[in-house]
Amino acid sequence: MGKLDQKVAVITGGARGIGREIALTFAREGADIVVADVLGMEAIAQEIRDVGERVIAIKADISKKEEVVSILDATIAHFKRVDILVNNAGVSRNATLMEMTEEDWDFVLDVNLKGVFLCTQAAARHMIEQRYGRIINIASIAGLVGAALPRIAANYAVSKAGVIRLTKSCSKELGPHGINVNAIAPGLILTEIHYSSRSPKEAELFREEEIKAMPLGRAGTPRDIANIALFLASEDSSLITGHVLVADGGRT
């Protein structure tokens, strides 16, 4: 018996990195999986089938309401319910405050914050009817302490601060309907976004500086975050809602 047997989980940004690891971890624990991403998802879908669970992959831009609605419509049509939503999809565009364009600002806020709102709203409509749900938002320690280049740009930090406040607000509104809403705030996790948003030299310098500031002395992995997400998705955390679980090796 897995911890998520007979559950249906929707995971945004599930094609790679943290989202991919969460999808695989949930599948190993018995959940049927819906992976939504703007990237190709053939590889992760096959990996989940190899685990032995059912999966559908949907290409969608979560900053667009009609595409978010299509994710949930497909989930209900295929699996008849949605039990878990992991709002993992995220982007970054690095620039100093004075060099940042309006497009840079809007793009990051639209995906990282508006996308979480749209997905939460769409999933909650079904969860309210079920009187059950688990919503897990992937935030960042940047949303707790702020950030500035050369580490992390302000638009990313602001978007994640918004996710944290949205988490707490939704937990109050949705709690009476049997829906738990929590967030995970990772520190340095070595995924594609860490390297793709920086030059190789900048990425390595950032990694070294962050690790020096961590009492545990190591960067996090996608598996670290997936294990926390599993806890928050399972009945082990049934009394926890509105919580932001920081996973940063003691950085903050």
Side-chain angles (χ1 to χ4, degrees), residues 11-57:
I11 300 159
T12 69
R16 62 182 187 174
I18 291 172
R20 171 186 171 278
E21 195 62 42
I22 291 173
L24 286 170
T25 298
F26 284 14
R28 293 186 192 105
E29 291 292 334
D32 294 324
I33 305 295
V34 179
V35 180
D37 209 312
V38 294
L39 303 173
M41 291 167 284
E42 296 81 6
I44 180 60
Q46 187 56 53
E47 287 181 276
I48 292 169
R49 293 188 192 100
D50 291 343
V51 170
E53 297 304 326
R54 297 181 297 172
V55 59
I56 57 175

Coordinates of all heavy atoms in Angstrom, one line a residue, residues 11-57:
I11 N 0.5 18.0 -11.4 CA 1.8 18.6 -11.1 C 2.1 19.5 -12.2 O 2.3 19.0 -13.3 CB 2.8 17.5 -10.8 CG1 2.5 16.6 -9.7 CG2 4.2 18.2 -10.6 CD1 3.1 15.3 -9.6
T12 N 2.2 20.8 -12.0 CA 2.7 21.7 -13.0 C 4.2 21.8 -13.1 O 4.9 21.6 -12.0 CB 2.1 23.1 -12.8 OG1 2.7 23.7 -11.7 CG2 0.5 23.1 -12.6
G13 N 4.7 22.1 -14.2 CA 6.2 22.1 -14.4 C 6.8 20.8 -14.1 O 7.9 20.6 -13.5
G14 N 6.1 19.7 -14.5 CA 6.5 18.3 -14.2 C 7.4 17.7 -15.1 O 7.7 16.5 -14.9
A15 N 7.9 18.4 -16.2 CA 8.7 17.7 -17.2 C 10.1 17.5 -16.7 O 10.8 16.6 -17.2 CB 8.7 18.5 -18.5
R16 N 10.6 18.3 -15.8 CA 12.0 18.2 -15.3 C 12.2 18.7 -13.9 O 11.2 19.2 -13.3 CB 12.9 19.0 -16.3 CG 12.6 20.5 -16.3 CD 13.6 21.2 -17.3 NE 13.4 22.6 -17.2 CZ 14.2 23.5 -17.9 NH1 15.1 23.0 -18.7 NH2 14.0 24.8 -17.8
G17 N 13.4 18.6 -13.4 CA 13.7 19.2 -12.1 C 12.9 18.7 -10.9 O 12.5 17.5 -10.8
I18 N 12.5 19.6 -10.1 CA 11.7 19.3 -8.9 C 10.3 18.6 -9.3 O 9.9 17.7 -8.7 CB 11.5 20.5 -8.0 CG1 12.8 20.9 -7.4 CG2 10.4 20.3 -6.9 CD1 12.8 22.3 -6.7
G19 N 9.7 19.2 -10.3 CA 8.4 18.7 -10.7 C 8.4 17.2 -11.1 O 7.6 16.4 -10.8
R20 N 9.5 16.9 -11.9 CA 9.7 15.5 -12.4 C 9.8 14.6 -11.2 O 9.2 13.5 -11.2 CB 10.9 15.5 -13.3 CG 11.3 14.1 -13.7 CD 12.6 14.1 -14.5 NE 13.1 12.7 -14.7 CZ 13.8 12.0 -13.8 NH1 14.1 12.6 -12.6 NH2 14.2 10.8 -14.0
E21 N 10.7 15.0 -10.3 CA 10.9 14.1 -9.1 C 9.7 13.9 -8.3 O 9.4 12.8 -7.7 CB 12.1 14.7 -8.3 CG 12.6 13.7 -7.3 CD 13.3 12.5 -7.9 OE1 14.0 12.6 -8.9 OE2 13.0 11.4 -7.4
I22 N 8.9 15.0 -8.1 CA 7.6 14.9 -7.4 C 6.7 13.9 -8.1 O 6.0 13.1 -7.4 CB 7.0 16.3 -7.2 CG1 7.8 17.1 -6.2 CG2 5.5 16.1 -6.6 CD1 7.4 18.5 -6.1
A23 N 6.6 14.1 -9.4 CA 5.7 13.2 -10.2 C 6.1 11.7 -10.0 O 5.2 10.9 -9.7 CB 5.7 13.6 -11.6
L24 N 7.3 11.4 -10.1 CA 7.8 10.0 -9.9 C 7.6 9.5 -8.5 O 7.2 8.4 -8.3 CB 9.3 9.9 -10.3 CG 9.6 10.0 -11.8 CD1 11.1 10.1 -12.0 CD2 9.1 8.8 -12.5
T25 N 7.9 10.4 -7.5 CA 7.7 10.0 -6.1 C 6.2 9.7 -5.8 O 5.9 8.7 -5.2 CB 8.2 11.1 -5.2 OG1 9.6 11.3 -5.4 CG2 8.0 10.7 -3.7
F26 N 5.3 10.5 -6.3 CA 3.9 10.3 -6.1 C 3.4 9.1 -6.8 O 2.6 8.3 -6.3 CB 3.1 11.5 -6.6 CG 3.1 12.7 -5.7 CD1 4.1 12.8 -4.6 CD2 2.2 13.8 -5.9 CE1 4.1 13.9 -3.8 CE2 2.3 14.9 -5.0 CZ 3.2 15.0 -4.0
A27 N 4.0 8.8 -8.0 CA 3.6 7.6 -8.7 C 4.0 6.4 -8.0 O 3.3 5.4 -7.9 CB 4.2 7.6 -10.1
R28 N 5.2 6.4 -7.4 CA 5.7 5.2 -6.7 C 4.9 5.0 -5.5 O 4.8 3.8 -5.0 CB 7.2 5.5 -6.3 CG 8.2 5.5 -7.4 CD 9.6 5.6 -6.9 NE 10.5 5.9 -8.0 CZ 11.1 7.1 -8.2 NH1 10.9 8.1 -7.3 NH2 11.9 7.3 -9.2
E29 N 4.2 6.0 -4.9 CA 3.3 5.8 -3.8 C 1.9 5.6 -4.2 O 1.0 5.7 -3.3 CB 3.4 7.1 -2.9 CG 4.8 7.2 -2.2 CD 5.0 6.1 -1.1 OE1 4.0 5.6 -0.6 OE2 6.2 5.8 -0.9
G30 N 1.6 5.3 -5.5 CA 0.3 4.8 -5.9 C -0.6 5.9 -6.5 O -1.7 5.5 -6.9
A31 N -0.2 7.1 -6.7 CA -1.0 8.1 -7.3 C -1.1 8.0 -8.8 O -0.1 7.7 -9.5 CB -0.6 9.5 -6.9
D32 N -2.2 8.3 -9.4 CA -2.3 8.6 -10.8 C -1.9 10.0 -11.0 O -2.2 10.9 -10.2 CB -3.8 8.4 -11.3 CG -4.3 7.0 -11.2 OD1 -3.4 6.1 -11.4 OD2 -5.4 6.8 -10.9
I33 N -1.2 10.3 -12.1 CA -0.5 11.6 -12.3 C -1.0 12.3 -13.5 O -1.1 11.7 -14.6 CB 1.0 11.3 -12.4 CG1 1.6 10.5 -11.2 CG2 1.7 12.6 -12.6 CD1 1.5 11.2 -9.9
V34 N -1.2 13.6 -13.4 CA -1.4 14.5 -14.5 C -0.2 15.5 -14.5 O 0.0 16.2 -13.5 CB -2.7 15.3 -14.4 CG1 -2.8 16.3 -15.6 CG2 -3.9 14.4 -14.3
V35 N 0.6 15.4 -15.6 CA 1.8 16.3 -15.7 C 1.4 17.4 -16.7 O 1.0 17.1 -17.8 CB 3.0 15.5 -16.2 CG1 4.2 16.5 -16.3 CG2 3.3 14.4 -15.2
A36 N 1.6 18.7 -16.3 CA 1.4 19.8 -17.1 C 2.7 20.6 -17.2 O 3.3 20.9 -16.2 CB 0.2 20.7 -16.6
D37 N 3.0 21.0 -18.5 CA 4.2 21.7 -18.7 C 4.2 22.4 -20.1 O 3.4 22.0 -20.9 CB 5.4 20.8 -18.6 CG 6.7 21.5 -18.1 OD1 7.0 22.6 -18.6 OD2 7.4 21.0 -17.2
V38 N 5.1 23.3 -20.3 CA 5.2 23.9 -21.7 C 6.3 23.1 -22.5 O 6.4 23.3 -23.7 CB 5.6 25.4 -21.7 CG1 4.4 26.2 -21.1 CG2 6.9 25.6 -20.9
L39 N 7.0 22.2 -21.8 CA 8.1 21.4 -22.4 C 7.6 20.1 -22.8 O 6.5 19.6 -22.4 CB 9.2 21.3 -21.4 CG 9.8 22.6 -20.9 CD1 10.9 22.3 -19.8 CD2 10.5 23.4 -22.0
G40 N 8.4 19.4 -23.6 CA 8.0 18.0 -23.9 C 8.0 17.1 -22.7 O 8.9 17.2 -21.8
M41 N 7.0 16.2 -22.6 CA 6.8 15.4 -21.4 C 6.8 13.9 -21.7 O 6.4 13.1 -20.9 CB 5.4 15.8 -20.8 CG 5.5 17.2 -20.2 SD 3.8 17.8 -19.8 CE 3.2 18.2 -21.4
E42 N 7.2 13.5 -22.9 CA 7.2 12.1 -23.3 C 8.1 11.3 -22.3 O 7.7 10.2 -21.9 CB 7.8 11.9 -24.7 CG 6.9 12.6 -25.8 CD 7.1 14.1 -26.0 OE1 8.1 14.6 -25.3 OE2 6.4 14.7 -26.7
A43 N 9.2 11.8 -21.9 CA 10.1 11.1 -21.1 C 9.5 10.8 -19.7 O 9.5 9.7 -19.2 CB 11.5 11.8 -20.9
I44 N 9.0 11.9 -19.0 CA 8.5 11.7 -17.7 C 7.2 10.8 -17.8 O 7.0 10.0 -16.9 CB 8.2 13.0 -17.0 CG1 7.6 12.8 -15.6 CG2 7.3 13.9 -17.8 CD1 8.5 12.0 -14.7
A45 N 6.4 11.0 -18.8 CA 5.2 10.1 -18.9 C 5.6 8.7 -19.0 O 4.9 7.8 -18.4 CB 4.4 10.6 -20.1
Q46 N 6.6 8.3 -19.8 CA 7.0 6.9 -19.9 C 7.6 6.4 -18.6 O 7.4 5.3 -18.2 CB 8.1 6.8 -21.0 CG 8.4 5.3 -21.3 CD 7.2 4.5 -21.6 OE1 6.4 4.9 -22.5 NE2 7.0 3.4 -20.9
E47 N 8.3 7.3 -17.9 CA 8.9 6.9 -16.6 C 7.8 6.5 -15.6 O 7.9 5.6 -14.8 CB 9.8 8.0 -16.0 CG 11.1 8.2 -16.7 CD 11.9 9.3 -16.1 OE1 11.7 10.4 -16.4 OE2 12.8 8.9 -15.2
I48 N 6.7 7.3 -15.6 CA 5.6 7.0 -14.7 C 4.9 5.7 -15.1 O 4.5 4.9 -14.3 CB 4.6 8.2 -14.7 CG1 5.3 9.4 -14.0 CG2 3.3 7.8 -13.9 CD1 4.6 10.7 -14.2
R49 N 4.7 5.5 -16.4 CA 4.2 4.2 -16.9 C 5.0 3.0 -16.4 O 4.5 2.0 -16.1 CB 4.0 4.2 -18.4 CG 3.0 5.2 -18.9 CD 2.7 5.1 -20.4 NE 2.0 6.2 -20.9 CZ 2.5 7.2 -21.6 NH1 3.8 7.2 -21.8 NH2 1.8 8.2 -22.0
D50 N 6.3 3.2 -16.5 CA 7.2 2.2 -16.1 C 7.1 1.8 -14.6 O 7.3 0.7 -14.2 CB 8.7 2.6 -16.3 CG 9.0 2.6 -17.8 OD1 8.2 2.0 -18.6 OD2 10.0 3.2 -18.2
V51 N 6.7 2.9 -13.8 CA 6.4 2.6 -12.4 C 5.2 1.8 -12.2 O 5.0 1.1 -11.2 CB 6.3 4.0 -11.6 CG1 5.8 3.8 -10.2 CG2 7.6 4.7 -11.6
G52 N 4.3 1.9 -13.2 CA 3.1 1.1 -13.2 C 1.8 1.9 -12.9 O 0.7 1.3 -12.7
E53 N 1.9 3.2 -12.9 CA 0.7 4.1 -12.6 C 0.3 4.8 -13.9 O 1.0 4.9 -14.9 CB 1.0 5.1 -11.5 CG 1.4 4.5 -10.2 CD 0.3 3.6 -9.6 OE1 -0.9 3.8 -9.9 OE2 0.7 2.6 -9.0
R54 N -1.0 5.2 -13.9 CA -1.6 5.9 -15.0 C -1.1 7.3 -15.0 O -0.9 8.0 -14.0 CB -3.1 5.8 -14.9 CG -3.7 4.4 -15.0 CD -5.2 4.4 -14.9 NE -5.7 5.0 -13.7 CZ -7.0 5.2 -13.4 NH1 -7.9 5.0 -14.4 NH2 -7.3 5.7 -12.3
V55 N -1.0 7.9 -16.2 CA -0.5 9.2 -16.4 C -1.1 9.8 -17.7 O -1.3 9.2 -18.7 CB 1.0 9.3 -16.5 CG1 1.6 8.4 -17.6 CG2 1.5 10.7 -16.6
I56 N -1.4 11.1 -17.6 CA -1.7 11.9 -18.8 C -0.8 13.1 -18.8 O -0.5 13.7 -17.7 CB -3.2 12.3 -18.9 CG1 -3.7 13.1 -17.7 CG2 -4.0 11.1 -19.2 CD1 -5.1 13.6 -17.9
A57 N -0.3 13.5 -19.9 CA 0.6 14.7 -20.0 C -0.1 15.7 -20.9 O -0.7 15.4 -22.0 CB 1.9 14.3 -20.7

